[in-house]
Short mmCIF file of all heavy atoms in Angstrom, two decimals:
data_model
loop_
_atom_site.label_atom_id
_atom_site.label_comp_id
_atom_site.label_asym_id
_atom_site.label_seq_id
_atom_site.Cartn_x
_atom_site.Cartn_y
_atom_site.Cartn_z
N ARG W 9 -90.22 -101.75 186.96
CA ARG W 9 -90.01 -100.77 185.90
C ARG W 9 -89.75 -101.48 184.58
O ARG W 9 -90.22 -101.04 183.53
CB ARG W 9 -88.83 -99.87 186.28
CG ARG W 9 -88.62 -98.72 185.35
CD ARG W 9 -89.63 -97.61 185.60
NE ARG W 9 -89.35 -96.45 184.77
CZ ARG W 9 -89.78 -96.30 183.51
NH1 ARG W 9 -90.50 -97.23 182.96
NH2 ARG W 9 -89.46 -95.21 182.83
N TYR W 10 -89.02 -102.55 184.66
CA TYR W 10 -88.70 -103.36 183.48
C TYR W 10 -88.88 -104.84 183.84
O TYR W 10 -88.64 -105.24 184.99
CB TYR W 10 -87.26 -103.14 183.00
CG TYR W 10 -86.93 -101.71 182.66
CD1 TYR W 10 -86.36 -100.87 183.60
CD2 TYR W 10 -87.20 -101.20 181.41
CE1 TYR W 10 -86.07 -99.55 183.30
CE2 TYR W 10 -86.90 -99.89 181.09
CZ TYR W 10 -86.34 -99.07 182.04
OH TYR W 10 -86.04 -97.76 181.73
N TYR W 33 -106.86 -97.04 185.86
CA TYR W 33 -106.83 -97.46 184.46
C TYR W 33 -105.56 -98.26 184.18
O TYR W 33 -104.49 -97.90 184.66
CB TYR W 33 -106.82 -96.25 183.52
CG TYR W 33 -107.80 -95.14 183.83
CD1 TYR W 33 -107.55 -94.24 184.86
CD2 TYR W 33 -108.95 -94.96 183.07
CE1 TYR W 33 -108.44 -93.20 185.14
CE2 TYR W 33 -109.84 -93.93 183.34
CZ TYR W 33 -109.58 -93.05 184.38
OH TYR W 33 -110.46 -92.03 184.64
N TYR W 35 -103.39 -99.33 180.80
CA TYR W 35 -103.22 -99.11 179.36
C TYR W 35 -102.09 -99.99 178.84
O TYR W 35 -101.14 -100.29 179.56
CB TYR W 35 -102.83 -97.66 179.05
CG TYR W 35 -103.91 -96.63 179.21
CD1 TYR W 35 -104.12 -96.00 180.43
CD2 TYR W 35 -104.70 -96.24 178.13
CE1 TYR W 35 -105.10 -95.02 180.57
CE2 TYR W 35 -105.67 -95.27 178.26
CZ TYR W 35 -105.86 -94.66 179.49
OH TYR W 35 -106.82 -93.68 179.61
N GLN W 37 -99.27 -99.85 175.71
CA GLN W 37 -98.72 -98.97 174.68
C GLN W 37 -97.66 -99.71 173.88
O GLN W 37 -96.60 -100.07 174.40
CB GLN W 37 -98.10 -97.72 175.29
CG GLN W 37 -97.64 -96.72 174.24
CD GLN W 37 -97.05 -95.45 174.82
OE1 GLN W 37 -96.60 -95.44 175.96
NE2 GLN W 37 -97.06 -94.38 174.05
N GLY W 42 -100.09 -94.77 170.40
CA GLY W 42 -100.72 -94.25 171.59
C GLY W 42 -101.21 -95.38 172.48
O GLY W 42 -101.44 -96.49 172.03
N PRO W 43 -101.38 -95.10 173.76
CA PRO W 43 -101.87 -96.13 174.68
C PRO W 43 -103.29 -96.57 174.36
O PRO W 43 -104.10 -95.78 173.91
CB PRO W 43 -101.81 -95.44 176.04
CG PRO W 43 -100.85 -94.32 175.86
CD PRO W 43 -101.01 -93.87 174.45
N LEU W 45 -106.63 -98.45 176.14
CA LEU W 45 -107.20 -98.80 177.43
C LEU W 45 -107.49 -100.29 177.49
O LEU W 45 -108.16 -100.84 176.61
CB LEU W 45 -108.48 -98.01 177.68
CG LEU W 45 -109.16 -98.26 179.02
CD1 LEU W 45 -108.31 -97.69 180.16
CD2 LEU W 45 -110.55 -97.63 179.05
N ARG W 48 -110.75 -100.37 183.11
CA ARG W 48 -110.96 -99.24 184.01
C ARG W 48 -111.74 -99.71 185.23
O ARG W 48 -112.76 -100.40 185.10
CB ARG W 48 -111.71 -98.12 183.31
CG ARG W 48 -112.07 -96.94 184.22
CD ARG W 48 -112.63 -95.77 183.41
NE ARG W 48 -113.91 -96.07 182.80
CZ ARG W 48 -115.09 -95.83 183.37
NH1 ARG W 48 -115.14 -95.34 184.59
NH2 ARG W 48 -116.21 -96.10 182.72
N GLU W 50 -113.69 -98.54 188.83
CA GLU W 50 -114.24 -97.55 189.75
C GLU W 50 -114.28 -98.24 191.10
O GLU W 50 -115.06 -99.17 191.32
CB GLU W 50 -115.66 -97.12 189.33
CG GLU W 50 -115.72 -96.38 188.03
CD GLU W 50 -115.18 -94.96 188.09
OE1 GLU W 50 -114.93 -94.48 189.22
OE2 GLU W 50 -114.97 -94.35 187.04
N ASP W 56 -115.17 -101.19 182.86
CA ASP W 56 -114.93 -101.28 181.42
C ASP W 56 -113.73 -102.18 181.19
O ASP W 56 -112.59 -101.76 181.39
CB ASP W 56 -114.69 -99.90 180.80
CG ASP W 56 -114.51 -99.96 179.29
OD1 ASP W 56 -114.54 -101.07 178.71
OD2 ASP W 56 -114.32 -98.90 178.67
N LEU W 91 -99.08 -99.24 181.14
CA LEU W 91 -99.22 -98.01 181.92
C LEU W 91 -100.41 -98.11 182.85
O LEU W 91 -101.47 -98.61 182.47
CB LEU W 91 -99.44 -96.82 180.99
CG LEU W 91 -98.27 -96.36 180.15
CD1 LEU W 91 -98.76 -95.45 179.04
CD2 LEU W 91 -97.26 -95.63 181.00
N VAL W 97 -113.25 -89.62 190.39
CA VAL W 97 -114.43 -89.91 189.57
C VAL W 97 -114.71 -88.71 188.68
O VAL W 97 -114.69 -87.58 189.12
CB VAL W 97 -115.64 -90.21 190.47
CG1 VAL W 97 -116.89 -90.35 189.63
CG2 VAL W 97 -115.40 -91.47 191.27
N GLY W 98 -114.91 -88.96 187.41
CA GLY W 98 -115.12 -87.88 186.45
C GLY W 98 -113.86 -87.50 185.71
O GLY W 98 -113.91 -86.71 184.77
N GLY W 99 -112.73 -88.06 186.10
CA GLY W 99 -111.49 -87.83 185.36
C GLY W 99 -110.60 -86.73 185.91
O GLY W 99 -109.52 -86.50 185.38
N ALA W 100 -111.00 -86.07 186.96
CA ALA W 100 -110.17 -85.00 187.50
C ALA W 100 -108.87 -85.58 188.07
O ALA W 100 -108.86 -86.65 188.65
CB ALA W 100 -110.92 -84.26 188.60
N GLY W 101 -107.78 -84.85 187.85
CA GLY W 101 -106.50 -85.25 188.41
C GLY W 101 -105.88 -86.47 187.74
O GLY W 101 -105.04 -87.15 188.33
N TYR W 102 -106.25 -86.73 186.52
CA TYR W 102 -105.73 -87.89 185.76
C TYR W 102 -104.21 -87.88 185.84
O TYR W 102 -103.57 -86.94 185.41
CB TYR W 102 -106.15 -87.73 184.31
CG TYR W 102 -106.62 -88.97 183.59
CD1 TYR W 102 -107.94 -89.09 183.18
CD2 TYR W 102 -105.75 -89.99 183.28
CE1 TYR W 102 -108.39 -90.20 182.49
CE2 TYR W 102 -106.19 -91.11 182.59
CZ TYR W 102 -107.51 -91.21 182.20
OH TYR W 102 -107.95 -92.31 181.51
N PHE W 104 -100.55 -90.40 185.44
CA PHE W 104 -99.99 -91.64 184.93
C PHE W 104 -98.81 -92.11 185.75
O PHE W 104 -98.04 -91.31 186.28
CB PHE W 104 -99.54 -91.46 183.48
CG PHE W 104 -100.67 -91.22 182.54
CD1 PHE W 104 -101.11 -89.94 182.29
CD2 PHE W 104 -101.31 -92.28 181.94
CE1 PHE W 104 -102.17 -89.71 181.44
CE2 PHE W 104 -102.38 -92.06 181.09
CZ PHE W 104 -102.81 -90.77 180.84
N GLY W 105 -98.64 -93.41 185.81
CA GLY W 105 -97.43 -93.99 186.35
C GLY W 105 -96.34 -94.01 185.30
O GLY W 105 -96.56 -93.64 184.15
N SER W 106 -95.15 -94.44 185.68
CA SER W 106 -94.01 -94.47 184.77
C SER W 106 -94.07 -95.64 183.81
O SER W 106 -93.34 -95.67 182.82
CB SER W 106 -92.71 -94.54 185.56
OG SER W 106 -92.56 -93.37 186.35
N GLY W 107 -94.92 -96.60 184.09
CA GLY W 107 -95.07 -97.74 183.19
C GLY W 107 -94.13 -98.89 183.51
O GLY W 107 -93.11 -98.72 184.17
N ARG W 109 -92.09 -101.71 181.33
CA ARG W 109 -91.72 -102.15 179.98
C ARG W 109 -91.50 -103.66 180.01
O ARG W 109 -90.59 -104.15 180.66
CB ARG W 109 -90.46 -101.44 179.49
CG ARG W 109 -90.03 -101.87 178.08
CD ARG W 109 -88.85 -101.07 177.60
NE ARG W 109 -89.21 -99.67 177.38
CZ ARG W 109 -89.80 -99.20 176.30
NH1 ARG W 109 -90.09 -100.03 175.29
NH2 ARG W 109 -90.06 -97.93 176.19
N SER Q 30 -114.45 -82.48 178.69
CA SER Q 30 -114.38 -82.21 180.12
C SER Q 30 -113.03 -81.63 180.49
O SER Q 30 -112.93 -80.77 181.35
CB SER Q 30 -114.63 -83.49 180.92
OG SER Q 30 -115.92 -84.00 180.68
N ALA Q 31 -111.97 -82.15 179.84
CA ALA Q 31 -110.62 -81.66 180.14
C ALA Q 31 -109.68 -82.09 179.03
O ALA Q 31 -109.94 -83.05 178.31
CB ALA Q 31 -110.12 -82.22 181.48
N HIS Q 33 -105.45 -82.81 178.36
CA HIS Q 33 -104.15 -83.01 178.99
C HIS Q 33 -103.04 -82.81 177.97
O HIS Q 33 -103.17 -83.24 176.82
CB HIS Q 33 -104.02 -84.44 179.53
CG HIS Q 33 -104.96 -84.77 180.63
ND1 HIS Q 33 -104.57 -84.86 181.94
CD2 HIS Q 33 -106.28 -85.06 180.62
CE1 HIS Q 33 -105.60 -85.18 182.70
NE2 HIS Q 33 -106.66 -85.30 181.93
N LEU Q 35 -99.19 -84.09 177.73
CA LEU Q 35 -98.32 -85.09 178.34
C LEU Q 35 -96.98 -85.10 177.63
O LEU Q 35 -96.87 -84.74 176.46
CB LEU Q 35 -98.97 -86.48 178.24
CG LEU Q 35 -100.43 -86.56 178.69
CD1 LEU Q 35 -101.05 -87.86 178.20
CD2 LEU Q 35 -100.53 -86.47 180.19
N GLN Q 37 -93.51 -87.58 176.96
CA GLN Q 37 -92.94 -88.93 177.07
C GLN Q 37 -91.56 -88.94 176.44
O GLN Q 37 -91.40 -88.69 175.25
CB GLN Q 37 -93.84 -89.96 176.39
CG GLN Q 37 -93.40 -91.39 176.60
CD GLN Q 37 -94.42 -92.40 176.11
OE1 GLN Q 37 -95.13 -92.16 175.16
NE2 GLN Q 37 -94.50 -93.54 176.79
N PRO Q 39 -88.05 -90.99 175.34
CA PRO Q 39 -87.79 -92.33 174.81
C PRO Q 39 -87.50 -93.31 175.94
O PRO Q 39 -86.64 -93.05 176.79
CB PRO Q 39 -86.56 -92.14 173.91
CG PRO Q 39 -86.61 -90.70 173.52
CD PRO Q 39 -87.20 -89.98 174.70
N GLY Q 40 -88.22 -94.40 175.97
CA GLY Q 40 -88.00 -95.38 177.01
C GLY Q 40 -88.53 -94.98 178.37
O GLY Q 40 -88.37 -95.71 179.35
N GLY Q 41 -89.15 -93.82 178.44
CA GLY Q 41 -89.62 -93.33 179.73
C GLY Q 41 -91.11 -93.38 179.89
O GLY Q 41 -91.84 -93.69 178.95
N GLY Q 42 -91.54 -93.06 181.07
CA GLY Q 42 -92.97 -93.03 181.33
C GLY Q 42 -93.58 -91.74 180.86
O GLY Q 42 -92.92 -90.87 180.29
N ILE Q 43 -94.86 -91.61 181.08
CA ILE Q 43 -95.60 -90.42 180.65
C ILE Q 43 -95.71 -89.46 181.82
O ILE Q 43 -96.12 -89.86 182.92
CB ILE Q 43 -96.98 -90.81 180.13
CG1 ILE Q 43 -96.84 -91.63 178.85
CG2 ILE Q 43 -97.84 -89.58 179.90
CD1 ILE Q 43 -98.15 -92.13 178.30
N VAL Q 44 -95.37 -88.23 181.57
CA VAL Q 44 -95.46 -87.20 182.59
C VAL Q 44 -96.57 -86.23 182.20
O VAL Q 44 -96.61 -85.75 181.07
CB VAL Q 44 -94.14 -86.42 182.73
CG1 VAL Q 44 -94.29 -85.27 183.71
CG2 VAL Q 44 -93.02 -87.36 183.17
N SER Q 45 -97.46 -85.98 183.11
CA SER Q 45 -98.53 -85.04 182.84
C SER Q 45 -98.00 -83.62 183.04
O SER Q 45 -97.53 -83.27 184.11
CB SER Q 45 -99.71 -85.30 183.78
OG SER Q 45 -100.75 -84.38 183.53
N MET Q 48 -103.26 -80.06 182.82
CA MET Q 48 -104.63 -80.44 182.56
C MET Q 48 -105.44 -79.14 182.49
O MET Q 48 -105.38 -78.32 183.41
CB MET Q 48 -105.21 -81.34 183.63
CG MET Q 48 -106.63 -81.80 183.32
SD MET Q 48 -107.28 -83.04 184.44
CE MET Q 48 -107.55 -82.06 185.91
N ILE Q 86 -97.85 -85.22 173.84
CA ILE Q 86 -99.13 -85.84 173.51
C ILE Q 86 -100.26 -84.99 174.06
O ILE Q 86 -100.23 -84.57 175.21
CB ILE Q 86 -99.22 -87.26 174.10
CG1 ILE Q 86 -98.05 -88.12 173.60
CG2 ILE Q 86 -100.56 -87.91 173.76
CD1 ILE Q 86 -97.84 -89.38 174.43
N ALA Q 88 -104.10 -85.28 174.99
CA ALA Q 88 -105.10 -86.31 175.29
C ALA Q 88 -106.34 -85.64 175.86
O ALA Q 88 -106.25 -84.78 176.73
CB ALA Q 88 -104.54 -87.32 176.29
N LEU Q 90 -110.32 -85.71 177.39
CA LEU Q 90 -111.42 -86.39 178.07
C LEU Q 90 -112.71 -85.78 177.57
O LEU Q 90 -113.08 -84.67 177.97
CB LEU Q 90 -111.27 -86.21 179.58
CG LEU Q 90 -112.20 -87.04 180.46
CD1 LEU Q 90 -111.91 -88.52 180.30
CD2 LEU Q 90 -112.03 -86.64 181.93
N ASN Q 95 -117.26 -91.55 178.72
CA ASN Q 95 -117.19 -92.54 179.79
C ASN Q 95 -115.81 -92.55 180.45
O ASN Q 95 -115.30 -93.60 180.82
CB ASN Q 95 -117.54 -93.93 179.25
CG ASN Q 95 -117.97 -94.88 180.34
OD1 ASN Q 95 -118.48 -94.46 181.38
ND2 ASN Q 95 -117.77 -96.15 180.13
N TYR Q 96 -115.21 -91.38 180.52
CA TYR Q 96 -113.96 -91.15 181.24
C TYR Q 96 -112.73 -91.74 180.58
O TYR Q 96 -111.69 -91.85 181.21
CB TYR Q 96 -114.06 -91.67 182.68
CG TYR Q 96 -115.29 -91.16 183.39
CD1 TYR Q 96 -116.08 -92.00 184.15
CD2 TYR Q 96 -115.68 -89.83 183.28
CE1 TYR Q 96 -117.20 -91.55 184.80
CE2 TYR Q 96 -116.81 -89.37 183.93
CZ TYR Q 96 -117.57 -90.22 184.69
OH TYR Q 96 -118.69 -89.77 185.32
N GLN Q 97 -112.81 -92.16 179.33
CA GLN Q 97 -111.64 -92.67 178.66
C GLN Q 97 -110.95 -91.55 177.90
O GLN Q 97 -111.58 -90.85 177.12
CB GLN Q 97 -112.01 -93.77 177.68
CG GLN Q 97 -110.80 -94.32 176.93
CD GLN Q 97 -111.13 -95.54 176.10
OE1 GLN Q 97 -112.16 -96.16 176.32
NE2 GLN Q 97 -110.28 -95.88 175.16
N LEU Q 98 -109.63 -91.39 178.12
CA LEU Q 98 -108.87 -90.39 177.39
C LEU Q 98 -108.72 -90.81 175.94
O LEU Q 98 -108.41 -91.95 175.65
CB LEU Q 98 -107.49 -90.21 178.00
CG LEU Q 98 -107.34 -89.35 179.24
CD1 LEU Q 98 -105.87 -89.28 179.64
CD2 LEU Q 98 -107.88 -87.96 179.03
N TRP Q 100 -106.39 -90.10 172.77
CA TRP Q 100 -105.05 -89.58 172.59
C TRP Q 100 -104.82 -89.06 171.18
O TRP Q 100 -105.26 -89.67 170.21
CB TRP Q 100 -104.03 -90.69 172.87
CG TRP Q 100 -104.12 -91.26 174.24
CD1 TRP Q 100 -105.12 -92.02 174.75
CD2 TRP Q 100 -103.17 -91.10 175.28
NE1 TRP Q 100 -104.86 -92.36 176.04
CE2 TRP Q 100 -103.67 -91.81 176.40
CE3 TRP Q 100 -101.94 -90.45 175.38
CZ2 TRP Q 100 -102.97 -91.86 177.60
CZ3 TRP Q 100 -101.26 -90.51 176.57
CH2 TRP Q 100 -101.77 -91.20 177.67
N GLY Q 101 -104.08 -87.95 171.08
CA GLY Q 101 -103.58 -87.53 169.79
C GLY Q 101 -102.41 -88.41 169.40
O GLY Q 101 -101.93 -89.22 170.18
N ALA Q 102 -101.97 -88.26 168.16
CA ALA Q 102 -100.89 -89.11 167.64
C ALA Q 102 -99.53 -88.74 168.22
O ALA Q 102 -98.57 -89.49 168.07
CB ALA Q 102 -100.84 -89.02 166.13
#
Side-chain angles (χ1 to χ4, degrees):
Chain W
R9 187 77 175 85
Y10 302 94
Y33 314 77
Y35 287 89
Q37 186 179 23
L45 182 69
R48 175 171 67 91
E50 295 287 349
D56 182 359
L91 290 164
V97 174
Y102 222 113
F104 293 90
S106 297
R109 180 175 293 278
Chain Q
S30 297
H33 295 256
L35 311 165
Q37 187 170 33
I43 294 177
V44 175
S45 179
M48 183 172 72
I86 303 163
L90 189 64
N95 201 26
Y96 309 135
Q97 179 172 343
L98 280 182
W100 301 69

